[in-house]
Amino acid sequence: MRKAGTREGGIRFRQTLLSRYLLIILFAFMFIPVIFPLTSIGYMVMQKNANPQSDYLKYGNAASLEAMWHKEASLLSEAQPERIDGRLRELKQAYPEASVFWVDASGATRLQMPEQDRLPAQWTQADAIRFMKASVGGDPYTVVAFIGQASGAETGFMVMQMPRSVIEIQNPIGVDTPYYIAFIFVMFVFFIALSLLFFRHIRRRLLRLQAAMAVHGDDGLPMPVVQTKPDEIGQLEQSFNRMVEQLKAGKERERAEEELRKRLIANLSHDLRTPLTVMNSHVYSLRKEALSEAGQAAVKQIEQKIAGTGSLIDNLLSYTLMTSGRYPLKLERQDMLRLIRESAADWYPLWEQEGIEADIGLPDESVYWRIDKEGFRRVLDNLFQNVVRHAKGGRYIGISVEAHGDRQILSVCDRGAGMNADSGGKGAGIGLAIVGYLLSEMGLAWHTESADSGTKVLIYPK
Amino acid sequence: MSAALLYIEDDQEIGSFVSTHLKEQGYEVNWVTSGERALEAAAGCRLVILDVMLPGLDGFTVGQRLKKAEPDIPILMLSARTSIDDKLQGLQFADDYLTKPFHPDELTARIEVLLRRSGNRSSAEPLAIKHLLVYEQQNRVENGETGEEITLTGKQFHIFSYLLRHLGQILTKEQIYEAVWGEPYIEGDKTLQVHIRYLREKLERDPAAPEIVETVRGIGYRVRK
């Protein structure tokens, strides 16, 4: 294609398929360096907005709670149990979710808020160890602190138990990872779908164009397509339409030439036959005059010659039309017996008039050949005419269709003097040339046997 | 018998000869030389003889317009062109077709056939065929010798009148069947033969040696005058 051709349509770069394809490729390239970080940032921003960290742990985390408890415990002393009770009550109020109790140096459980059944009333060393073991890493979170400055077996201790949900972040980082992966996955699917749609769209348009090229309209030419978009395929469609236009114009020109040729031949035929008709009319007038026997015979001769010349002109011009391909044959399945009967019916009166005995032997069953109706008629006309014109002397025409093996053979025979004899009505050549041409065009073969005692023409499918 | 014929021919020599010839045969002839005038003159005529090659409007166009305006008037085409493509085109509207050079007697014969076929003979004069008198207008067939009326069934009359309309012409069994029954002939159908046998039994003096409805061996049937 010429370079100028692509510019002719005047399409802008952003309208091209190329630009759209580049966009998709760009998207693919941006996937790792842009989409991933972007997703992460987006995720983090969302996280922040959804769960502001400050409100989240109202008492601080476990460590700060533990530090607070130890501090409180160190400020109290075993010697003042009422103060301990009072302080625990205050703390309970400050931390309503917590359960608190304390145990004095003798191992007796003192104030419990709320009351807990499973706590022993009197703690042994083993109880203390079991309790500690059960509490480590468990829920609630348990803080044990010795009361007062001193520490040892003789000191009491106070315990705070806090549900972990209060002091630990419920959704730590990493809980949302599936969403993150899903988002990446969605982006990936989006990319695949985009590429798929892009190519499917191109493919559909190409297929549509291909179908348009395969489908032919009434004139045997492809139909123009509707131009969809001003991109490369759109230009292809445009070129295709231009080509269809050119084909149409070519076909039109060819048809016009054919028409001209036909008209020329028609005019030629008219110009040749009109004087013949005039001659004919004068001869006819002449016949009505008082003529000697020789004069009558001469008039008859002239009439015959005029008729012969007329059909010769017809044959000649028809032959010209046919052989230049201006007479397309339409081959169809036809009952050839029917065509023979109809043709013979037309000729029969003339045969009777000329004293020709017609012997017609056609089978009852139809015989179908793939032939052109008018073409086959013309073959029969020419053959029958030859019999009338050249084999009148035999006073016989035999038309028969007989089966030979699996094929039917049409035979037209006469008892004339044969083709080599001078029948006085020369000019059979062009008539038989038409027969030969038409038969071969219709896929039929023919064979002529001519002897002094008559001529036999056999016609059969190849 | 006089009948008004419209004759369209641009060639002076042929035109004057043919119109003289037809007048001698007893026809009233209206000869015009162009297609435009033909369309005006067509009203009231009984048959149109049309030449294909005309100056101005060509014969095919004239013929098609005439057929449209007056579908009942038969048209006989005269042509000096090659028969190869004119014949088909012409017979789309023309009732018959004759190529130049034609014999004047042939022309008169064709005109007679066309006039009879179109049923335009208004006279109640019966058609005499051998011993029969046929009153086509009244769908009546009479034995001319005895004066007895011969009653035919619908199909028998239909077949007989189709043969009469093509008097002298040989018709194949397919042509008759398709014209009378109005459907394509089915191979091996004997219906027509049966009907013709009954028809002969009614019409012929000797049904074994038919004179009226002739069998043309291998081709078909014919009724002659």
Side-chain angles (χ1 to χ4, degrees):
Chain A
M1 203 181 188
R2 286 177 305 140
K3 227 179 170 177
T6 47
R7 263 180 228 144
E8 246 173 278
I11 60 168
R12 280 182 225 115
F13 179 70
R14 60 182 182 82
Q15 288 176 322
T16 58
L17 289 172
L18 181 69
S19 66
R20 266 185 265 168
Y21 177 67
L22 285 178
L23 213 65
I24 290 180
I25 293 293
L26 202 67
F27 185 76
F29 270 119
M30 288 195 320
F31 214 79
I32 293 174
V34 178
I35 298 288
F36 273 86
L38 218 65
T39 322
S40 307
I41 292 168
Y43 162 70
M44 262 139 80
V45 168
M46 261 160 51
Q47 195 73 286
K48 257 209 162 71
N49 289 342
N51 310 311
Q53 203 90 24
S54 47
D55 292 356
Y56 187 55
L57 294 176
K58 49 185 174 185
Y59 309 130
N61 58 17
S64 60
L65 205 65
E66 191 179 345
M68 179 278 294
W69 196 250
H70 280 286
K71 199 176 151 227
E72 290 292 338
S74 67
L75 294 177
L76 296 170
S77 123
E78 177 87 39
Q80 303 160 293
E82 296 79 20
R83 233 186 111 217
I84 295 174
D85 286 353
R87 186 64 196 150
L88 281 186
R89 279 195 188 93
E90 281 168 33
L91 283 170
K92 171 68 185 171
Q93 251 161 29
Y95 300 94
E97 292 93 342
S99 347
V100 293
F101 66 89
W102 72 282
V103 179
D104 63 17
S106 64
T109 305
R110 304 289 289 259
L111 178 68
Q112 286 184 57
M113 283 180 296
E115 285 292 331
Q116 293 184 52
D117 297 338
R118 53 193 180 85
L119 292 180
Q122 187 65 43
W123 292 68
T124 62
Q125 204 139 357
D127 284 334
I129 290 168
R130 204 178 299 125
F131 177 75
M132 289 307 288
K133 236 186 145 107
S135 302
V136 170
D139 193 9
Y141 176 71
T142 307
V143 188
V144 178
F146 292 108
I147 296 169
Q149 302 292 329
S151 62
E154 310 81 40
T155 35
F157 57 94
M158 56 189 239
V159 175
M160 178 192 215
Q161 291 181 302
M162 182 69 92
R164 276 189 188 268
S165 63
V166 179
I167 53 158
E168 278 173 11
I169 296 166
Q170 277 304 291
N171 296 332
I173 303 263
V175 165
D176 279 342
T177 308
Y179 296 110
Y180 177 77
I181 291 172
F183 180 74
I184 296 284
F185 182 72
V186 165
M187 288 310 279
F188 190 68
V189 167
F190 173 70
F191 169 68
I192 298 270
L194 199 72
S195 322
L196 214 67
L197 276 176
F198 178 71
F199 281 102
R200 219 179 61 148
H201 187 59
I202 292 181
R203 187 172 168 274
R204 237 199 346 242
R205 289 171 66 196
L206 287 176
L207 282 179
R208 202 172 63 93
L209 199 58
Q210 188 265 335
M213 289 182 190
V215 172
H216 289 187
D218 301 336
D219 50 1
L221 294 177
M223 307 287 280
V225 292
V226 181
Q227 202 191 336
T228 43
K229 282 178 188 158
D231 53 15
E232 288 93 332
I233 294 182
Q235 286 201 314
L236 188 61
E237 286 164 345
Q238 214 173 30
S239 304
F240 173 72
N241 284 353
R242 255 201 307 275
M243 192 187 71
V244 170
E245 283 306 311
Q246 282 167 359
L247 273 176
K248 275 215 170 86
K251 195 128 185 169
E252 190 54 40
R253 208 162 43 238
E254 193 183 324
R255 213 185 50 75
E257 272 167 25
E258 189 176 318
E259 200 52 45
L260 192 74
R261 194 187 176 112
K262 269 189 177 169
R263 201 160 55 230
L264 186 77
I265 285 188
N267 286 340
L268 194 61
S269 171
H270 177 263
D271 293 349
L272 287 170
R273 279 193 230 205
T274 302
L276 282 183
T277 314
V278 176
M279 276 159 72
N280 214 22
S281 56
H282 287 306
V283 173
Y284 186 76
S285 315
L286 196 62
R287 206 163 59 159
K288 284 190 270 183
E289 304 294 317
L291 289 177
S292 66
E293 208 166 293
Q296 292 280 4
V299 165
K300 200 163 167 55
Q301 276 288 318
I302 295 171
E303 275 181 339
Q304 276 177 0
K305 291 294 169 196
I306 289 172
T309 312
S311 63
L312 184 64
I313 290 168
D314 188 34
N315 275 340
L316 189 65
L317 297 179
S318 300
Y319 189 68
T320 313
L321 278 180
M322 280 177 198
T323 50
S324 61
R326 303 290 174 229
Y327 181 64
L329 297 178
K330 209 167 79 199
L331 297 190
E332 282 169 331
R333 191 168 171 270
Q334 300 273 355
D335 180 6
M336 52 87 88
L337 295 181
R338 182 179 181 151
L339 296 179
I340 293 173
R341 267 196 293 269
E342 284 174 11
S343 188
D346 288 343
W347 282 89
Y348 198 85
L350 190 64
W351 294 334
E352 270 183 323
Q353 194 186 316
E354 301 284 348
I356 296 173
E357 182 207 334
D359 177 17
I360 297 163
L362 301 177
D364 289 334
E365 298 280 296
S366 298
V367 177
Y368 288 99
W369 284 1
R370 272 191 67 77
I371 46 180
D372 176 75
K373 202 168 158 185
E374 293 304 316
F376 193 68
R377 275 253 165 122
R378 194 165 182 102
V379 167
L380 294 175
D381 280 348
N382 283 8
L383 291 177
F384 295 163
Q385 190 168 47
N386 275 349
V387 172
V388 172
R389 210 172 282 162
H390 309 296
K392 227 189 301 186
R395 300 194 170 278
Y396 173 84
I397 180 165
I399 304 165
S400 66
V401 172
E402 278 164 23
H404 287 261
D406 58 346
R407 62 182 172 187
Q408 303 280 344
I409 295 183
L410 161 64
S411 128
V412 177
C413 59
D414 61 59
R415 289 176 188 160
M419 279 185 175
N420 299 322
D422 181 9
S423 60
K426 285 273 184 201
I430 192 79
L432 287 181
I434 289 177
V435 169
Y437 173 80
L438 285 174
L439 288 178
S440 81
E441 287 291 294
M442 292 189 286
L444 298 173
W446 69 310
H447 173 72
T448 320
E449 294 165 13
S450 187
D452 297 346
S453 58
T455 303
K456 191 174 199 173
V457 179
L458 300 173
I459 296 171
Y460 43 91
K462 263 176 198 162
Chain B
M1 157 154 312
S2 147
L5 308 181
L6 176 63
Y7 177 39
I8 305 146
E9 168 69 78
D10 64 311
D11 189 287
Q12 287 295 328
E13 265 185 292
I14 300 175
S16 74
F17 168 75
V18 170
S19 51
T20 313
H21 170 73
L22 291 176
K23 275 173 191 160
E24 278 168 20
Q25 303 296 312
Y27 293 104
E28 190 187 309
V29 182
N30 181 10
W31 169 31
V32 298
T33 52
S34 81
E36 287 85 350
R37 257 183 289 166
L39 293 169
E40 297 158 21
C45 73
R46 309 280 291 281
L47 182 130
V48 176
I49 304 164
L50 178 63
D51 183 51
V52 177
M53 288 287 227
L54 291 173
L57 272 183
D58 76 296
F60 291 119
T61 316
V62 174
Q64 271 151 3
R65 290 198 193 166
L66 280 175
K67 204 71 199 172
K68 216 170 175 184
E70 309 274 352
D72 294 334
I73 301 177
I75 297 176
L76 172 63
M77 291 264 294
L78 288 182
S79 170
R81 314 215 302 194
T82 55
S83 54
I84 192 161
D85 42 21
D86 275 13
K87 205 164 193 164
L88 280 177
Q89 201 181 348
L91 285 179
Q92 278 169 10
F93 62 87
D95 301 84
D96 203 359
Y97 187 99
L98 200 56
T99 16
K100 290 179 181 179
F102 53 87
H103 201 281
D105 290 341
E106 168 124 40
L107 178 66
T108 3
R110 301 267 185 128
I111 289 173
E112 259 181 59
V113 168
L114 282 180
L115 282 177
R116 191 172 45 243
R117 206 188 297 173
S118 71
N120 261 0
R121 298 201 139 187
S122 52
S123 71
E125 217 175 287
L127 181 66
I129 295 164
K130 307 277 173 358
H131 64 283
L132 297 180
L133 290 173
V134 183
Y135 299 86
E136 275 183 277
Q137 237 68 1
Q138 296 133 322
N139 292 359
R140 197 155 65 90
V141 184
E142 210 173 76
N143 186 331
E145 287 160 353
T146 60
E148 276 173 42
E149 187 178 337
I150 300 170
T151 38
L152 298 177
T153 64
K155 278 282 179 281
Q156 286 165 358
F157 189 81
H158 210 142
I159 294 167
F160 189 45
S161 62
Y162 184 68
L163 285 164
L164 284 177
R165 250 179 290 137
H166 297 86
L167 207 60
Q169 223 176 315
I170 302 168
L171 299 168
T172 66
K173 59 181 184 219
E174 293 99 341
Q175 284 170 327
I176 300 172
Y177 188 88
E178 282 162 16
V180 173
W181 274 267
E183 50 193 66
Y185 176 77
I186 303 153
E187 191 187 320
D189 193 342
K190 299 281 179 213
T191 317
L192 181 67
Q193 271 127 293
V194 174
H195 275 85
I196 294 221
R197 200 173 71 222
Y198 289 136
L199 182 63
R200 279 176 174 155
E201 277 170 14
K202 287 183 179 170
L203 297 179
E204 306 283 355
R205 284 196 187 108
D206 176 9
E211 291 181 302
I212 310 262
V213 182
E214 259 181 275
T215 297
V216 181
R217 208 177 71 79
I219 305 179
Y221 302 96
R222 169 169 69 176
V223 174
R224 277 196 289 183
K225 233 177 172 171

